[in-house]
């Protein structure tokens, strides 16, 4: 993980000016992390809920407060907005930012549908503004360490992998909306685990999935098992559950197994990374960074929020596309849609089925050429 960007304190560049839209449950992590990044200054906050807005403003010492995002974008001179609202407002808010010519970060799930996501990517491309999805799980220090070991060829060419998240942690007390939506684990949590599989093994050609609802108190599915064939030839299993009672609760840790042509890699509980080859077995501790504001058991997620925000600031300054850009996230979102389709219809799904229609592709290409 990169160190905080410190050009501002050296006086070489002006800080990037940002505003946060959405001051709810998860936004506290965004606020703490932005405060840790020295060349970014959050100058304003927005939330439709006046009470939440005032509380966040007081706690983080931010005085310019808005209950309306359009007013925020009209009155403030911003380098970017960070959208941390729930999914229903993502498309209108991203389009609002694009129409104001302001770069945007959007929390996951990026959009309710793939059509909305394509429209958001198009809007930002047409406006010439950068767009990043806050897809933070791949930015956890343990996941980055796994990616680095694979890229370095430590176990040769991977041919099989498993990315696993099994828990019975009560996510509903902090995020009550998770219990009432028609969709749950794949859209909310599986999206991260599918993105990790893409990050480690590349894009997916075909998948087959099952889903189940075990907890009778919720509406959506809380168990999903997905078998995927990746473009480079890796076969992977992504499995997620919020109905799994284990002797030790490891929320929010992701466990990983990878078999390669020269050895095996295992990410065990408590951030123990094991790499085994013919020359021996190496064990590393790949724990999250120690942050003054972190709170158990959220440390790995909180560390990843800081890492993705640092990545955004670096990309914005250098004018390069973030790793989890809107464009990139279309492929993660397609895995979510393919999972639901496969589970619903009881068949395997080729990702090509979810690509844009030829007419849509033609329109997007014409816009791309014109821009
Ligand atoms: P929340 O309901 O606690 O907070 C959302 C806030 O946005 C509310 O205060 C609401 O008033 C405000 N809001 C909604 N629409 C608005 C609009 N149009 N203008 C201004 N304010 C508006 O939700 P949350 O649990 O904080 O989740 C927010 C997002 O973060 C969700 O998309 C969720 O999936 C995501 N999330 C991500 C992670 C992660 O690790 N990446 C973890 C938890 C939640
Ligand atoms: O990351 C998330 O989106 C969260 C949680 C980890 C609780 O599932 O909703």
């Amino acid at each position: 993980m990169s160190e905080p960007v410190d050009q501002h304190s050296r006086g070489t560049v002006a800080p990037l000016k940002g505003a946060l839209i959405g001051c709810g449950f998860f936004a506290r992590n965004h606020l703490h992390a932005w405060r840790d990044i020295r060349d970014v200054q959050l100058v304003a906050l927005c939330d439709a809920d006046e009470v939440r807005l005032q509380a966040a403003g007081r706690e983080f010492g931010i005085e310019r407060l808005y209950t309306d995002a359009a007013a925020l974008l009209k009155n403030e001179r911003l380098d970017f907005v960070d959208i941390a609202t729930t999914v229903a407002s993502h498309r209108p808010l991203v389009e609002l930012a694009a129409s104001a010519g302001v770069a945007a970060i959007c929390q996951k799930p990026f959009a309710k549908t793939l059509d909305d996501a394509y429209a958001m990517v198009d809007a930002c491309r047409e406006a010439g503004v950068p767009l990043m999805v806050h897809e933070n799980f791949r930015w956890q220090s343990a996941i980055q360490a796994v990616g680095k070991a694979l890229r370095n060829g430590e176990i040769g060419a991977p041919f099989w992998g498993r990315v696993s998240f099994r828990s019975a942690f009560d996510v509903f007390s902090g995020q009550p909306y998770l219990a009432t939506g028609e969709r749950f684990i794949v859209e909310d949590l599986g999206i991260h685990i599918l993105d990790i599989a893409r990050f480690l093994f590349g894009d997916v050609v075909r998948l087959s999935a099952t889903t189940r609802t075990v907890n009778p108190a919720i509406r959506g599915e809380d168990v999903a098992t997905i078998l995927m064939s990746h473009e480079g030839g890796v076969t992977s299993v992504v499995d997620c559950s919020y109905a799994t009672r284990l002797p030790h609760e490891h929320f929010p840790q992701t466990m990983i197994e990878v078999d390669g042509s020269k050895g095996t890699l295992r990410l065990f509980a408590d951030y123990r990374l094991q790499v085994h080859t013919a020359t021996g077995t190496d064990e590393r501790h790949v724990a999250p960074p120690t942050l003054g504001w972190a709170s158990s058991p959220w440390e790995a997620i909180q560390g990843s929020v800081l890492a993705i925000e640092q990545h955004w600031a670096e990309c914005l300054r250098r004018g390069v596309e973030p790793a989890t850009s809107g464009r990139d996230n279309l492929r993660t979102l397609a895995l979510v849609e393919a999972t639901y389709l496969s589970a619903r219809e009881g068949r395997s799904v080729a990702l090509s089925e979810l690509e844009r229609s030829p007419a849509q592709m033609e329109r997007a290409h014409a816009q791309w050429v014109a821009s």
Side-chain angles (χ1 to χ4, degrees):
M1 191 186 309
S2 54
E3 289 300 308
V5 180
D6 200 16
Q7 292 142 317
H8 175 50
S9 63
R10 285 187 245 124
T12 52
V13 284
L16 293 168
K17 287 191 192 304
L20 178 72
I21 306 178
C23 300
F25 169 78
F26 198 69
R28 294 183 55 73
N29 300 310
H30 291 228
L31 285 160
H32 277 295
W34 287 126
R35 201 153 64 174
D36 278 2
I37 302 176
R38 280 162 287 190
D39 79 333
V40 172
Q41 190 186 2
L42 271 204
V43 295
L45 300 178
C46 172
D47 197 297
D49 180 327
E50 178 87 44
V51 175
R52 282 183 159 189
L53 177 67
Q54 295 291 340
R58 261 194 316 278
E59 182 176 354
F60 289 88
I62 299 171
E63 287 173 4
R64 302 183 68 79
L65 306 177
Y66 296 85
T67 51
D68 175 32
L72 164 85
L73 282 155
K74 188 160 172 252
N75 294 337
E76 300 294 331
R77 285 178 69 83
L78 300 169
D79 294 305
F80 72 93
V81 286
D82 181 12
I83 299 165
T85 61
T86 40
V87 68
S89 51
H90 288 177
R91 179 172 175 181
L93 289 172
V94 166
E95 289 180 343
L96 189 67
S99 67
V102 173
I105 309 171
C106 180
Q107 252 297 350
K108 52 58 64 179
F110 184 30
K112 205 68 197 154
T113 66
L114 260 178
D115 280 349
D116 280 351
Y118 275 114
M120 292 152 81
V121 169
D122 286 347
C124 289
R125 193 185 59 227
E126 283 160 23
V129 299
L131 170 64
M132 180 179 84
V133 179
H134 186 113
E135 180 39 78
N136 53 320
F137 266 43
R138 66 160 83 171
W139 287 99
Q140 292 176 27
S141 39
I143 308 300
Q144 288 288 314
V146 171
K148 193 170 165 199
L150 296 183
R151 277 195 309 278
N152 288 346
E154 293 192 37
I155 60 162
F159 60 87
W160 179 89
R162 176 178 176 208
V163 190
S164 175
F165 184 104
R166 311 198 75 78
S167 169
F169 185 79
D170 170 25
V171 284
F172 309 108
S173 54
Q175 296 165 266
Y177 56 88
L178 295 178
T180 55
E182 191 186 334
R183 293 174 164 191
F184 170 41
I185 199 168
V186 179
E187 183 181 78
D188 183 68
L189 181 279
I191 198 168
H192 292 304
I193 311 306
L194 290 163
D195 186 70
I196 291 173
R198 276 190 63 226
F199 171 63
L200 298 178
F201 309 128
D203 278 320
V204 173
V205 183
R206 177 172 285 279
L207 66 73
S208 183
T210 60
T211 58
R212 277 201 58 173
T213 306
V214 174
N215 179 350
I218 66 166
R219 187 164 166 226
E221 81 292 346
D222 53 3
V223 179
T225 309
I226 308 152
L227 175 68
M228 306 201 289
S229 304
H230 294 258
E231 278 173 2
V234 174
T235 299
S236 76
V237 179
V238 162
D239 58 289
C240 325
S241 167
Y242 272 125
T244 299
R245 289 171 207 290
L246 292 161
H248 301 285
E249 173 58 65
H250 291 297
F251 176 89
Q253 295 182 47
T254 304
M255 313 301 169
I256 295 178
E257 299 170 46
V258 192
D259 293 359
S261 55
K262 293 187 179 156
T264 55
L265 176 151
R266 299 290 183 262
L267 178 63
F268 295 122
D270 301 325
Y271 313 107
R272 283 190 306 117
L273 176 60
Q274 181 194 77
V275 176
H276 174 76
T277 62
T279 57
T281 307
D282 180 40
E283 289 242 354
R284 304 159 203 173
H285 192 52
V286 289
T290 307
L291 300 171
W293 48 272
S295 50
S296 182
W298 295 87
E299 296 92 334
I301 290 180
Q302 289 164 324
S304 72
V305 172
L306 177 59
I308 197 171
E309 290 183 359
Q310 286 171 333
H311 176 65
W312 168 254
E314 287 165 12
C315 290
L316 208 54
R317 288 230 182 269
R318 291 171 45 217
V320 298
E321 183 173 340
T324 57
S325 64
R327 205 164 63 96
D328 174 83
N329 199 259
L330 293 171
R331 289 166 188 258
T332 295
L333 208 54
L335 295 181
V336 170
E337 287 307 325
T339 298
Y340 283 117
L341 179 61
S342 170
R344 192 170 60 242
E345 297 191 353
R347 64 176 178 94
S348 85
V349 170
L351 269 294
S352 57
E353 290 180 45
L354 297 171
E355 276 168 11
R356 289 178 134 178
S357 67
Q360 286 171 309
M361 296 289 275
E362 211 169 284
R363 189 179 142 261
H365 183 70
Q367 284 165 346
W368 176 261
V369 170
S371 62

